[in-house]
Amino acid sequence: MNRAQIKSIPKVELHCHLDGSLSPEFISSRLGRKVDFKELSVSIDCTSLNEYLEKFDLPIKILSTPEAVREGTIDVLRQGAEENVRYMEIRFDPVCLSNDGMTTDEAVIASIEGLREGEEKYGIKGNIILCAMRQFDLDQNLGTLALVEKYLGKGVCCMDLAGAEALYPTSGFKALFQEAVNRQIPFIIHAGEADGPDSVRAAVSFGAKRIGHGVAMKGQEDLQQELKKKNIPVEICPTSNYQTKAVHGTYPLREFIDAGLKVTINTDNRTVSDTTLTDELEKSVHIADLSDAEIVTLEENAVNASFADTDTKEKILEELKAFL
């Protein structure tokens, strides 16, 4: 497929951070000044995940009111709709956004309102993922878990664990995810991005429904086969992974596909990484020498791995058949 064809196929995005994907136009409108794109994005010269995360400071400052969260959610959905993304899961940390007087409930409600308005305006469906953060203590993250429980099925689909993975290893969050299991709350985990394969092993042992990034599984045949056996999808983000130095040398997309993993392609942060889902799929074609059928399979994987309702899944899967 060429770029125009990739843009035209119905697509699903599972790993997209709200604060890292606000358009420069939206941020400029909220600040009242034109923002230099360099303030918001990194280049391939970025040295680490920690440096990458510094680009979130300004967007988080912008998302300080319910109105901003609602309109920011709409802004991200608009970007997706412009490249025929049909369903999108947008994630953010509600605790971080509540530091300027807005409550966590208000932030979540505003994001759900944004989903509804975005669907009405652009015809794109979506769900919200709420992120527990690695630097927070257990009580703070249990607060996020309680929010997921409160709004589950009402616009929120699951909980995630995000943040500086190497500084706060996944293995230290057993109590949080045990509580999620006890409450029957689904969760996904960033793992194998800035830390090694043991991070993925911990996430799998906790019961994660999907693995965010997971590129540290490169060369780990036993771990790959465990994910295949347990049918745990992987959300990979090629541009971001190179920028944060999660990957050096050969990207493991072809390795993961050949191992039978349910791989999905995502942007991670549209603005911070200066990318779109079309860009990521086009890059993936070159990285892994993908056939047209494999591109469609990647999108089918994303549909099936999503928390979308059955009708939405069936409709997108039916549309994808036309591209086989």
Side-chain angles (χ1 to χ4, degrees), residues 179-193:
E179 185 60 26
V181 170
N182 293 343
R183 299 190 198 183
Q184 297 184 311
I185 296 172
F187 56 88
I188 59 184
I189 299 178
H190 280 69
E193 179 187 17

Side-chain angles (χ1 to χ4, degrees), residues 31-264:
L31 282 178
R33 67 172 176 85
K34 185 173 178 59
V35 178
D36 186 331
F37 195 69
K38 291 181 180 179
E39 292 182 68
L40 307 174
S41 63
V42 299
S43 70
I44 199 65
D45 296 326
C46 177
T47 60
S48 68
L49 176 60
N50 291 337
E51 180 182 334
Y52 186 91
L53 293 175
E54 291 173 2
K55 294 297 182 179
F56 288 78
D57 293 346
L58 182 57
I60 288 172
K61 180 180 178 182
I62 294 299
L63 296 169
S64 59
T65 66
E67 177 191 26
V69 173
R70 179 181 61 80
E71 292 183 353
T73 304
I74 296 168
D75 177 60
V76 175
L77 290 169
R78 174 192 58 78
Q79 294 175 59
E82 287 177 352
E83 54 169 339
N84 204 28
V85 176
R86 304 298 301 280
Y87 171 85
M88 191 177 236
E89 291 177 2
I90 301 173
R91 61 186 77 190
F92 68 92
D93 159 28
V95 175
C96 188
L97 300 191
S98 68
N99 289 338
D100 199 29
M102 177 172 56
T103 68
T104 53
D105 276 273
E106 287 172 337
V108 175
I109 291 169
S111 69
I112 293 170
E113 290 174 349
L115 286 181
R116 304 295 173 249
E117 189 169 338
E119 180 180 350
E120 184 177 335
K121 292 179 77 169
Y122 303 114
I124 179 172
K125 291 183 177 291
N127 269 307
I128 298 296
I129 298 171
L130 299 182
C131 296
M133 299 302 293
R134 293 176 182 272
Q135 71 269 28
F136 291 168
D137 62 29
L138 179 59
D139 285 343
Q140 287 175 299
N141 284 330
L142 286 174
T144 298
L145 181 65
L147 283 171
V148 176
E149 185 174 36
K150 183 175 182 178
Y151 295 101
L152 191 64
K154 302 172 184 176
V156 171
C157 60
C158 71
M159 185 176 73
D160 180 25
L161 176 66
E165 182 187 5
L167 296 177
Y168 304 93
T170 302
S171 58
F173 294 87
K174 182 176 182 179
L176 173 64
F177 292 111
Q178 184 58 59
E179 185 60 26
V181 170
N182 293 343
R183 299 190 198 183
Q184 297 184 311
I185 296 172
F187 56 88
I188 59 184
I189 299 178
H190 280 69
E193 179 187 17
D195 203 1
D198 283 346
S199 182
V200 179
R201 290 188 177 92
V204 171
S205 71
F206 294 159
K209 299 295 185 183
R210 299 195 309 247
I211 299 296
H213 299 288
V215 288
M217 291 189 294
K218 180 179 178 179
Q220 302 288 318
E221 185 177 348
D222 60 332
L223 185 54
Q224 293 173 26
Q225 289 306 304
E226 183 176 2
L227 265 72
K228 177 184 177 181
K229 182 178 179 180
K230 294 182 176 179
N231 198 30
I232 300 174
V234 183
E235 311 158 353
I236 67 169
C237 312
T239 297
S240 170
N241 293 155
Y242 276 123
Q243 289 169 333
T244 65
K245 305 303 181 280
V247 171
H248 299 273
T250 304
Y251 197 82
L253 175 56
R254 171 52 62 189
E255 178 182 331
F256 288 178
I257 290 173
D258 290 347
L261 294 181
K262 298 297 185 183
V263 179
T264 70

Side-chain angles (χ1 to χ4, degrees), residues 86-87 125 303 308-317:
R86 304 298 301 280
Y87 171 85
K125 291 183 177 291
V303 174
D309 62 81
T310 300
D311 287 346
T312 298
K313 288 184 176 184
E314 288 179 350
K315 184 175 181 179
I316 299 173
L317 288 172

Side-chain angles (χ1 to χ4, degrees), residues 13 15-16 237 240 266-270 273 275-277 280:
E13 173 140 38
H15 195 124
C16 181
C237 312
S240 170
N266 306 274
T267 64
D268 198 11
N269 298 283
R270 288 169 169 263
S273 285
T275 193
T276 66
L277 191 53
E280 295 305 295

